[in-house]
């Protein structure tokens, strides 16, 4: 019998169910939080550059808004599914709650591959996406942001479309906008830097020295890039980076014992965050199998690509040198792999805590938009560090006190906060 395909939403629900038991949640609260509150599925008709018409499938899922407007990115991905978007929207609810920002959880997506789309076609998809949900999103309802294969330019096209439809300026509608156009300094670095702030704190707890630390990273997109930047700035060394190869339609791991620096990485990637094989060769990086990143003798593993990348098939390859697994991606580790990691005594920094720097800075962006007063980069990053450090401390203390796995500790804090908001509003 063929193995059942991986379903991230089932995984998100399994994780939730386990925590609901631990927290002793009542049935109505479980029923509310196991599923999204609302979701929109729609077609986006686009006239392509060759004159043909094509319809792209788009989604927006609003998981929960008890603590504030829904918040979460929009992904452009050829393999997008509504269950992936549901899972990601659910994780956004927990993410905003664990860092204690007044926002709920949402996520959006379009089934498309921007590699094969012109700028004009991408703009048409962005504007078409907004037209389909214009009445259901906005600064006080649901605030999108960049995610896999979307960036500031996409956000600006979306903002422009909503402002045209509604009339007036609504910079708080969307975050991750370009700096100078309502964006926040530090937003580009925020997710990757946030990952490293949590690694720094975990290292303190484990008595590890950053200057002796090495990392192996899966992914070369925005999160991976800035995680590598700060990891090396703090004195660590990145010995491997795994990445999708657009030409070969498969992934490879690139390894360099001397270390892969931020500048080198940026010179090796295309605009979608995929490493070009010719540039990697010029840097003298050794090219290995896709999964080799997980089997590196590093101190820290940073899965910062897509979901289901640390699973029952590869978790046993993790070397005993690995002390920390920092989840830059959303949903990289399956519950089966969690058991293996727990057995190996690896300190896991769970995704919705580890990569919460992006949405935390998005929140700062909204605050700045509302005030129409923009902070300096250092001020943004200082506030980000404080939020991430406080959230990490609360999770690690609860984990120690209750002797629970860090993912469970993070879930317990986040779910309890959201459940309380639902109770206080009288929903359940
Ligand atoms: N897409 C990012 C995430 O998954 C950021 C979301 C946001 O800034 O709203 O956390």
């Amino acid at each position: 019998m063929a193995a059942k395909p991986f379903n991230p939403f089932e995984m998100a629900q399994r994780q939730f169910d386990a925590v609901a038991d631990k927290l002793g949640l009542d049935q109505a609260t479980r029923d509310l939080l196991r599923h999204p509150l609302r979701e929109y599925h729609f077609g986006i008709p686009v006239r392509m550059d060759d004159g043909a018409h094509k319809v792209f499938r788009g989604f927006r899922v609003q998981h929960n808004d008890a603590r504030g407007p829904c918040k979460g990115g929009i992904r452009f991905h050829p393999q997008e599914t509504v269950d992936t978007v549901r899972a990601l929207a659910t994780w956004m609810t927990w993410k905003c709650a664990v860092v204690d920002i007044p926002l709920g959880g949402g996520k959006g997506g379009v089934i498309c591959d921007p590699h094969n789309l012109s700028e004009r076609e991408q703009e048409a998809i962005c504007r078409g996406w907004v037209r389909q949900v214009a009445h259901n999103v906005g600064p006080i309802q649901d605030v999108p942001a960049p995610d896999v294969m979307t960036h500031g330019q996409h956000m600006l096209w979306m903002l422009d479309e909503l402002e045209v439809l509604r009339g007036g300026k609504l910079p708080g509608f969307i975050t991750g906008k370009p700096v100078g156009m309502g964006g926040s300094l530090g937003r580009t670095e925020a997710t990757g830097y946030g990952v490293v702030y949590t690694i720094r704190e975990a290292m303190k707890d484990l008595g590890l020295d950053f200057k002796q630390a090495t990392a192996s990273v899966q992914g070369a997109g925005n999160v991976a890039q800035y995680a590598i930047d700060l990891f090396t700035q703090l004195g660590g060394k990145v010995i491997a980076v795994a990445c999708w190869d657009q030409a070969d339609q498969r992934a490879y791991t690139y390894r360099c014992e001397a270390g892969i620096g931020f500048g080198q990485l940026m010179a090796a990637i295309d605009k979608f965050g995929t490493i070009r094989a010719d540039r990697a060769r010029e840097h003298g990086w050794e090219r290995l199998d896709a999964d080799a990143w997980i089997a590196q003798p590093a101190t820290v593993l940073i899965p910062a690509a897509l979901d289901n990348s640390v699973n029952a098939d590869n978790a046993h390859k993790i070397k005993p040198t690995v002390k920390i697994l920092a989840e830059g991606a959303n949903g990289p580790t399956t519950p089966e792999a969690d058991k293996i990691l727990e057995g190996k005594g690896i300190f896991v920094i769970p995704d919705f805590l580890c990569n919460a720097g992006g949405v935390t800075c998005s929140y700062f962006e909204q605050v700045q938009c509302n005030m129409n007063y923009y902070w300096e980069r250092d001020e943004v990053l200082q506030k980000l560090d404080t939020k991430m450090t406080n959230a990490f401390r609360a999770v690690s203390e609860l984990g120690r006190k209750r002797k629970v796995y860090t993912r469970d500790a993070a879930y317990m804090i986040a779910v309890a906060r959201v459940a309380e908001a639902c109770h206080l509003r009288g929903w359940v």
Side-chain angles (χ1 to χ4, degrees):
M1 205 175 74
K4 208 167 148 241
F6 171 73
N7 183 324
F9 186 48
E10 281 173 16
M11 170 171 143
Q13 289 187 317
R14 275 171 67 189
Q15 291 173 337
F16 169 76
D17 291 342
V19 177
D21 287 344
K22 283 200 174 72
L23 292 173
L25 284 190
D26 60 274
Q27 194 55 45
T29 307
R30 285 175 195 237
D31 292 344
L32 187 69
L33 298 180
R34 275 192 108 240
H35 300 278
L37 278 177
R38 289 175 292 274
E39 46 185 67
Y40 305 95
H41 301 205
F42 42 87
I44 306 171
V46 171
R47 195 156 68 81
M48 307 298 282
D49 290 349
D50 64 4
H53 284 88
K54 217 170 150 175
V55 180
F56 294 88
R57 303 306 307 170
F59 310 103
R60 185 68 182 175
V61 174
Q62 298 173 344
H63 174 260
N64 190 281
D65 55 9
R67 286 173 49 87
C70 295
K71 187 82 193 80
I74 301 173
R75 306 171 5 128
F76 283 179
H77 200 276
Q79 267 89 49
E80 190 64 293
T81 68
V82 69
D83 271 344
T84 310
V85 184
R86 285 180 179 131
L88 291 161
T90 310
W91 288 323
M92 283 309 301
T93 303
W94 314 139
K95 194 180 296 192
C96 294
V98 83
V99 284
D100 207 6
I101 55 178
L103 294 165
K107 203 71 158 202
V110 179
I111 306 175
C112 70
D113 188 349
H115 289 96
N116 309 324
L117 296 165
S118 70
E119 291 273 302
R120 195 201 63 81
E121 290 164 342
Q122 292 181 47
E123 177 176 348
I125 293 178
C126 289
R127 291 184 184 276
W129 190 95
V130 170
R131 263 178 250 141
Q132 297 304 325
V133 285
H135 298 291
N136 311 105
V137 296
I140 56 168
Q141 291 151 289
D142 182 1
V143 183
D147 205 286
V148 172
M149 286 203 268
T150 55
H151 51 70
Q153 176 64 72
H154 297 113
M155 300 304 111
L156 203 55
W157 286 324
M158 290 183 165
L159 174 66
D160 188 65
E161 188 65 24
L162 193 82
E163 289 181 340
V164 169
L165 291 172
R166 297 252 191 111
K169 296 294 164 197
L170 296 164
F173 157 53
I174 206 158
T175 60
K177 300 184 291 298
V179 172
M181 291 301 295
S184 173
L185 289 166
R187 177 65 185 84
T188 307
E189 306 90 303
T191 315
Y193 278 21
V195 167
V196 177
Y197 296 146
T198 64
I199 294 173
R200 181 196 64 204
E201 294 306 305
M203 283 197 187
K204 282 185 201 157
D205 281 4
L206 299 174
L208 297 169
D209 176 6
F210 219 110
K211 302 215 161 32
Q212 307 293 321
T214 55
S216 176
V217 182
Q218 187 197 36
N222 170 268
V223 182
Q225 289 161 14
Y226 288 95
I228 290 170
D229 182 19
L230 191 58
F231 195 88
T232 47
Q233 275 187 48
L234 294 183
K237 187 164 79 171
V238 175
I239 56 168
V241 178
C243 178
W244 182 251
D245 186 294
Q246 189 57 21
D248 293 359
Q249 288 290 298
R250 54 158 292 181
Y252 294 105
T253 294
Y254 295 92
R255 190 188 139 82
C256 181
E257 200 50 54
I260 295 175
F262 175 68
Q264 272 188 327
L265 179 74
M266 295 308 269
I269 57 174
D270 67 14
K271 62 178 192 292
F272 299 104
T274 48
I275 293 177
R276 289 179 40 175
D278 54 337
R279 302 262 172 88
R281 251 193 320 274
E282 280 161 30
H283 288 324
W285 299 346
E286 187 187 354
R287 193 163 86 168
L288 306 168
D289 260 358
D291 247 4
W293 74 276
I294 206 171
Q296 295 303 310
T299 327
V300 187
L301 293 180
I302 310 179
L306 296 174
D307 50 36
N308 189 26
S309 51
V310 181
N311 49 45
D313 296 331
N314 62 14
H316 63 272
K317 294 185 188 164
I318 297 176
K319 294 272 187 302
T321 54
V322 173
K323 304 290 177 239
I324 297 170
L325 185 124
E327 297 183 332
N330 292 310
T333 307
T334 64
E336 294 75 24
D338 264 330
K339 292 207 177 70
I340 299 172
L341 298 174
E342 212 175 344
K344 284 177 180 279
I346 294 171
F347 189 97
V348 172
I349 311 174
D351 50 0
F352 64 88
L353 167 65
C354 189
N355 69 33
V359 75
T360 302
C361 195
S362 278
Y363 164 60
F364 296 153
E365 181 175 330
Q366 275 194 302
V367 171
Q368 294 170 81
C369 286
N370 292 343
M371 293 191 297
N372 201 15
Y373 172 70
Y374 291 84
W375 308 331
E376 297 302 326
R377 180 173 178 271
D378 284 353
E379 191 176 348
V380 175
L381 293 178
Q382 189 51 54
K383 285 186 163 69
L384 181 66
D385 194 347
T386 305
K387 269 271 177 216
M388 294 299 293
T389 301
N390 289 346
F392 178 91
R393 288 277 134 240
V395 169
S396 96
E397 266 154 41
L398 184 72
R400 250 199 317 271
K401 212 163 72 203
R402 296 278 298 265
K403 295 195 176 27
V404 290
Y405 190 50
T406 41
R407 189 183 315 283
D408 293 339
Y411 257 113
M412 285 162 74
I413 291 174
V415 173
R417 284 184 182 153
V418 178
E420 194 197 355
C422 296
H423 295 160
L424 288 171
R425 282 179 183 276
W427 289 358
V428 278

